[in-house]
Amino acid sequence: MPGRVCCCCAALRPRYKRLVDNIFPEDPKDGLVKADMEKLTFYAVSAPEKLDRIGAYLAERLSRDVVRHRFGYVLIAMEALDQLLMACHSQSIKPFVESFLHMVAKLLESGEPKLQVLGTNSFVKFANIEEDTPSYHRRYDFFVSRFSAMCHSCHDDTEIRTEIRIAGIRGIQGVVRKTVNDELRATIWEPQHMDKIVPSLLFNMQKIEDFDSRIGPPSSPTGGEKEENPAVLAENCFRELLGRATYGNMNNAVRPVFAHLDHHRLWDPNEFAVSCFKIIMYSIQAQYSHHVIQEILGHLDARKKDSPRVRAGIIQVLLEAVAIAAKGSIGPTVLEVFNTLLKHLRLSVDFELGDGRSSTDSAIVSTGSKESDERIVQNAIIQTIGFFGSNLPDYQRSEIMLFIMGKVPVLGTSSHSLDTSYLGDLGTRRIQIMLLRSLIMVTSGYNAKTIAAALPAAFLDPLLSPSLMEDSELRQLVLEILHNLIDRHDNRAKLRGIRIIPDVSDLKIKRDKITRQDVSFMKKHGQQLYRHIYLGCKEDDNVEKNFELLYTSLALTTIELANEEVVIDLIRLAIALQDIAIINEDNLPVFKRCGIMALVAAYLNFLSQMIAVPAFCQHVSKVIETRTVEAPYFLPENIFNKCTLPKSLEKHEKNLFFLTNKIAESLGGSGYSVERLSVPYVPQVTDEDRLSRRKSIVDTVSIQVDILPGSNSEDKVSNTEEITFEALKKAIDNTGLEEQEKEKRRLVIEKFQKAPFEEIAAQCETKANLLHDRLAQILELTIRPPPSPSGTLTVTAGHAHYQSVPVYEMKFPDLCVY
């Protein structure tokens, strides 16, 4: 009998061998002899130093039985080993474990599926045992390789194949649990192991048909599902693996995912790739999210020359990862993410235009599809930038707004922007539009406590520069970004659509009292905002959306930033816009002029009801009623619905227009300071005009006389700067205006707008005389006196002219001082 020996020999054999032999019955079908197994277990516990010999003898018998295909005795031996492992926990168990693992390896190496499953089950039981002391020499390389190979089983029998794959997955799960609980847990995270474990799990996960079941946080499937479905079991093992990953080994667990997706071409379509990374992002610890995002960016760089759909698939995965990432956990790689995305945006435009410029027949045939594919890439990048930006805390979002704005190429400048010189005008425009679209997404939902925090000068200046471009879409995008930042109470939706609102109170506008910081912002930057609204209305390519956005800009400024002084400025701006349509110095078509008139009507109707001055409301209502009867094309509801346009606008009566004197009279009676209403609004002249393609609103270079405030003429003369030849050279050279000169110009214009005319004239006369004397001394110019004492002083501030007092007019080439 295989399990018994003769009585004489048995008496001479060591006791542990006799005890081991007794647990094997004569017929293996009878199973383990339980009474003898209890004796063996008691002996092993009582004499733990014998464990290694017991294990070695059991291993010897098992190896012999495996070779002879005595599978019944193999099952009994493994059952005995399992019971001994569960019962013994002394330090002497280490050598026994080595024998046990040797026996498990023998089973896994056999070609019999039943033995492989048996060995796996025993290993899983062993993996769940917590050892008292760590093992410094034990390695699981063989088991990782073998279990991974079982995960890829291609057995002809479907049931057996599924059983082997499930065993392989459970074995990998056991290895992970055993090594993570071991002090030498770092060994399992080595690349040579992860490169086998992760693809094996993904291979089985890929077989699942319902992707939607894995997009959320980890679930707890039932035991039946866990045993019957390799995909579900692999997914749970993958989640467990990622959940145990730490800072130092996170990358080793994620990189094999990219290799698997590349090898099996799973980026296009990318449903499985998206599903995998959703599992990753939900499974890892939140503070490690930036590791995953960084790896995706690195892979995107590595595949930058692949097809557009592959790149779009990777970017879509990045988008999903960013959307799941916890707030603040992606901070370390914020700039790297945006830098990489912007670089790929530029590359995509380059690829698209490069394909379009190709002259071969094959290129012409494929141009449409290539452009379409690149548009997919570009849209994915924009969405990712937007989601990433909106997922950041406010302090980081403001930095990213500045970062993206610094990348927007502006004609005439090259600093801090993407290199688009080789893309030409079309490519530059595409980059501008896409970056501004991404800024719209980043700024959406951004709610700063003060406007100064939302629109710092470093962001406001470059943002408004594209509004000078002769491109209606660019101007629309700029205004939408402004709305996102100005609208702090979500009133924009209530203002959608340019129209005459019968009762503004029905809109239930939300607003707070204007803060001191907002008042300071408007004093410093208000004229800049007015200027861009004014210039935006003068563009001859405006469409209905442009007028609607301009109207919304005025309305939001009124709601969020308007105190008494700002209200007066806004009225002056509205009257100036009306003058654009009436005077028509820019030769605008009739439709554009009517659109401006309709814009002014809609805004003044809104403003009058917001400030609730009865006389002002009455004047506005009367003009609107008159227009309804005599000039319906001056109202937004009609002009933008393709009503019949007149041939000319020059013969209209004054009762169709909003009159400054009427408005001043109505507001003055309610306590408003209306002196400045008599001063026409004139936009500031800045160096931004050089960046636009339109003709500058100032065609000549002029030196404006700086008027400093003072109490008497002596103080004013003493405060005058000395005029030298170098000063004149600097005044003539307009290539680089410094901040100090821009501030000085602003003060001059503000002085001309607010100061009484008599004071301006007196000061200008004094300045002119001083300027005359100094220039005569330095340049020895010939001064031509006025023909008579009734000569006039011409004071120039923008386009406003005042004439009243004597002055000397001095002329020399390319420079005229008034």
Side-chain angles (χ1 to χ4, degrees):
M1 292 299 177
R4 301 291 179 181
V5 293
C6 65
C7 296
C8 296
C9 294
L12 299 176
R13 293 169 66 82
R15 185 182 179 187
Y16 73 89
K17 286 189 177 182
R18 296 198 304 269
L19 292 173
V20 170
D21 289 339
N22 291 339
I23 67 174
F24 291 93
E26 293 185 2
D27 187 355
K29 294 181 181 179
D30 294 338
L32 182 69
V33 180
K34 294 183 179 180
D36 291 331
M37 186 64 216
E38 290 177 359
K39 294 178 182 179
L40 177 61
T41 302
F42 179 78
Y43 176 77
V45 173
S46 302
E49 67 276 4
K50 300 292 185 179
L51 270 174
D52 58 333
R53 299 182 183 183
I54 294 173
Y57 184 60
L58 274 171
E60 179 185 344
R61 289 200 54 142
L62 183 138
S63 299
R64 184 171 63 246
D65 291 336
V66 168
V67 173
R68 296 176 181 178
H69 296 279
R70 297 173 178 175
F71 298 145
Y73 288 114
V74 172
L75 293 175
I76 293 173
M78 293 306 301
E79 184 178 355
L81 284 169
D82 292 342
Q83 291 189 25
L84 288 174
L85 277 175
M86 299 298 295
C88 302
H89 296 284
S90 66
Q91 294 182 355
S92 303
I93 201 174
K94 299 300 178 185
F96 177 75
V97 170
E98 297 303 323
S99 300
F100 167 79
L101 293 177
H102 176 70
M103 287 184 279
V104 172
K106 284 286 186 181
L107 296 180
L108 296 178
E109 285 178 333
S110 69
E112 290 294 329
K114 291 184 178 180
L115 295 185
Q116 292 178 352
V117 174
L118 176 64
T120 302
N121 293 337
S122 294
F123 182 85
V124 171
K125 292 178 183 177
F126 162 71
N128 292 326
I129 297 176
E130 294 185 7
E131 300 182 51
D132 295 335
T133 57
S135 175
Y136 295 100
H137 64 281
R138 190 187 308 154
R139 295 184 64 86
Y140 298 94
D141 301 25
F142 168 79
F143 295 100
V144 170
S145 300
R146 192 59 197 161
F147 289 137
S148 299
M150 292 170 64
C151 290
H152 292 83
S153 173
C154 296
H155 199 281
D156 295 336
D157 191 310
T158 304
E159 292 184 1
I160 295 177
R161 181 171 65 245
T162 301
E163 188 177 9
I164 294 175
R165 289 186 178 180
I166 289 176
I169 296 168
R170 294 180 67 239
I172 289 177
Q173 194 172 32
V175 172
V176 172
R177 290 176 178 175
K178 191 63 179 176
T179 54
V180 167
N181 292 329
D182 198 315
E183 289 187 4
L184 298 181
R185 64 177 67 96
T187 56
I188 196 63
W189 299 105
E190 294 175 357
Q192 63 265 30
H193 299 321
M194 288 291 104
D195 290 344
K196 297 174 184 176
I197 293 175
V198 173
S200 300
L201 298 176
L202 295 178
F203 175 77
N204 286 275
M205 290 166 57
Q206 192 177 342
K207 303 301 180 182
I208 196 169
E209 296 179 357
D210 185 10
F211 291 102
D212 295 335
S213 65
R214 301 199 304 270
I215 63 175
S219 57
S220 299
T222 61
E225 289 179 342
K226 195 173 182 180
E227 293 295 333
E228 296 175 1
N229 195 334
V232 174
L233 182 61
E235 177 190 331
N236 282 275
C237 182
F238 188 51
R239 290 184 186 272
E240 183 177 349
L241 175 68
L242 294 168
R244 296 175 182 269
T246 59
Y247 180 85
N249 48 49
M250 175 60 64
N251 293 343
N252 290 341
V254 175
R255 284 171 185 165
V257 177
F258 295 105
H260 179 82
L261 297 175
D262 290 342
H263 180 71
H264 293 276
R265 300 179 180 179
L266 297 175
W267 294 112
D268 178 32
N270 69 338
E271 287 83 359
F272 180 71
V274 170
S275 175
C276 285
F277 278 92
K278 284 185 176 181
I279 292 175
I280 293 172
M281 297 303 295
Y282 279 121
S283 301
I284 64 175
Q285 299 180 47
Q287 64 267 30
Y288 302 147
S289 298
H290 66 276
H291 277 286
V292 180
I293 295 172
Q294 201 167 17
E295 289 295 322
I296 300 174
L297 291 173
H299 195 68
L300 180 60
D301 283 336
R303 304 297 299 272
K304 64 183 178 182
K305 294 184 179 180
D306 281 24
S307 67
R309 291 191 175 273
V310 169
R311 288 181 282 125
I314 298 174
I315 295 169
Q316 180 67 26
V317 166
L318 177 63
L319 172 61
E320 297 293 341
V322 167
I324 297 172
K327 265 196 172 184
S329 66
I330 48 182
T333 56
V334 168
L335 290 182
E336 181 183 354
V337 170
F338 285 98
N339 225 6
T340 302
L341 290 175
L342 294 178
K343 179 178 67 177
H344 284 277
L345 183 62
R346 183 192 62 192
L347 287 174
S348 178
V349 173
D350 186 28
F351 291 152
E352 178 185 356
L353 297 179
D355 292 331
R357 290 191 293 264
S358 179
S359 58
T360 62
D361 294 338
S362 59
I364 294 175
V365 172
S366 62
T367 295
S369 61
K370 288 289 185 181
E371 288 183 355
S372 177
D373 290 345
E374 290 297 342
R375 294 293 177 91
I376 294 175
V377 175
Q378 294 159 16
N379 289 333
I381 292 175
I382 291 172
Q383 288 182 344
T384 305
I385 290 175
F387 275 107
F388 205 147
S390 61
N391 200 40
L392 295 173
D394 288 345
Y395 73 92
Q396 279 189 329
R397 201 192 303 198
S398 61
E399 294 176 359
I400 292 306
M401 288 159 48
L402 290 170
F403 180 78
I404 297 177
M405 198 65 243
K407 296 292 183 179
V408 177
V410 178
L411 295 174
T413 63
S414 58
S415 60
H416 307 294
S417 62
L418 292 174
D419 182 13
T420 59
S421 56
Y422 61 93
L423 296 178
D425 291 346
L426 178 60
T428 299
R429 178 183 179 275
R430 290 291 307 281
I431 293 291
Q432 289 173 327
I433 289 176
M434 286 183 285
L435 290 179
L436 291 176
R437 284 174 56 193
S438 65
L439 262 178
I440 290 176
M441 299 191 69
V442 172
T443 56
S444 179
Y446 180 59
N447 192 354
K449 294 182 180 179
T450 63
I451 293 296
L455 288 170
F459 179 74
L460 181 63
D461 294 340
L463 174 64
L464 294 179
S465 293
S467 69
L468 298 175
M469 302 296 178
E470 292 181 335
D471 190 308
S472 61
E473 186 175 0
L474 282 175
R475 299 195 301 274
Q476 292 172 13
L477 295 174
V478 171
L479 290 175
E480 289 182 19
I481 295 170
L482 279 175
H483 297 170
N484 284 344
L485 298 174
I486 295 176
D487 184 19
R488 293 174 290 179
H489 297 87
D490 298 325
N491 292 311
R492 188 174 16 163
K494 304 171 185 177
L495 301 170
R496 185 171 293 128
I498 180 172
R499 64 196 188 280
I500 303 296
I501 303 174
D503 190 352
V504 173
S505 61
D506 293 340
L507 300 180
K508 297 181 180 179
I509 298 293
K510 297 179 182 178
R511 63 185 306 189
D512 293 328
K513 185 178 180 180
I514 308 301
T515 64
R516 184 180 302 175
Q517 293 87 345
D518 292 343
V519 172
S520 176
F521 173 85
M522 289 305 292
K523 287 184 177 179
K524 189 173 182 180
H525 299 290
Q527 293 298 326
Q528 195 174 0
L529 293 176
Y530 305 150
R531 158 190 165 79
H532 286 271
I533 294 174
Y534 179 87
L535 296 178
C537 288
K538 296 177 66 175
E539 296 293 347
D540 57 6
D541 63 339
N542 282 336
V543 295
E544 180 181 357
K545 186 175 181 180
N546 290 90
F547 288 113
E548 178 181 339
L549 293 173
L550 289 166
Y551 162 75
T552 305
S553 300
L554 290 168
L556 289 176
T557 303
T558 304
I559 295 171
E560 298 287 349
L561 301 168
N563 57 4
E564 180 178 327
E565 183 179 350
V566 173
V567 167
I568 298 298
D569 285 337
L570 290 171
I571 294 175
R572 292 175 59 235
L573 175 60
I575 298 301
L577 294 176
Q578 180 178 255
D579 291 342
I580 291 176
I582 297 173
I583 302 173
N584 197 24
E585 293 180 348
D586 297 282
N587 295 321
L588 296 175
V590 174
F591 173 77
K592 311 300 179 186
R593 297 170 66 186
C594 292
I596 296 174
M597 298 292 282
L599 165 66
V600 174
Y603 173 64
L604 288 181
N605 172 72
F606 176 83
L607 176 63
S608 63
Q609 296 186 55
M610 287 296 294
I611 64 177
V613 176
F616 185 25
C617 293
Q618 184 178 3
H619 172 65
V620 172
S621 299
K622 184 176 180 180
V623 173
I624 292 175
E625 291 174 1
T626 306
R627 289 185 178 186
T628 303
V629 178
E630 300 182 15
Y633 40 81
F634 282 170
L635 299 177
E637 292 84 354
N638 299 313
I639 183 60
F640 297 122
N641 289 326
K642 298 181 180 180
C643 68
T644 303
L645 298 177
K647 295 181 179 180
S648 174
L649 302 181
E650 277 68 34
K651 297 182 179 180
H652 289 84
E653 299 295 334
K654 287 186 177 182
N655 57 359
L656 293 175
F657 305 135
F658 301 99
L659 303 178
T660 303
N661 59 342
K662 293 284 188 181
I663 296 175
E665 181 181 344
S666 61
L667 293 179
S670 297
Y672 279 80
S673 178
V674 296
E675 291 80 6
R676 287 189 300 118
L677 282 178
S678 59
V679 181
Y681 169 78
V682 177
Q684 290 180 345
V685 181
T686 70
D687 54 352
E688 287 178 342
D689 295 294
R690 296 186 296 103
L691 306 181
S692 69
R693 290 189 167 185
R694 69 155 65 88
K695 188 179 180 182
S696 174
I697 63 172
V698 174
D699 299 327
T700 60
V701 180
S702 64
I703 300 177
Q704 294 176 327
V705 180
D706 188 4
I707 301 176
L708 300 176
S711 58
N712 54 55
S713 59
E714 284 111 14
D715 293 337
K716 296 168 190 172
V717 174
S718 64
N719 287 332
T720 304
E721 295 180 1
E722 182 180 4
I723 300 177
T724 64
F725 182 77
E726 291 298 323
L728 288 173
K729 284 180 62 179
K730 291 180 180 179
I732 296 171
D733 183 9
N734 68 331
T735 57
L737 293 176
E738 302 294 337
E739 289 295 328
Q740 183 178 1
E741 292 189 343
K742 290 200 297 184
E743 179 66 15
K744 186 182 297 184
R745 184 186 299 108
R746 187 186 69 80
L747 293 174
V748 171
I749 293 177
E750 185 177 356
K751 184 69 175 180
F752 275 103
Q753 292 174 342
K754 297 180 178 180
F757 175 74
E758 291 76 14
E759 180 182 348
I760 295 174
Q763 294 183 25
C764 284
E765 182 179 11
T766 303
K767 293 268 185 160
N769 292 334
L770 177 64
L771 186 63
H772 160 244
D773 295 335
R774 291 296 178 89
L775 286 176
Q777 295 172 5
I778 296 172
L779 301 178
E780 298 182 355
L781 294 176
T782 302
I783 309 301
R784 180 173 59 84
S788 66
S790 61
T792 59
L793 163 66
T794 302
V795 182
T796 303
H799 293 309
H801 300 277
Y802 304 90
Q803 297 181 339
S804 71
V805 296
V807 69
Y808 291 103
E809 185 181 30
M810 297 159 289
K811 294 185 177 180
F812 50 93
D814 299 327
L815 178 64
C816 185
V817 182
Y818 294 100

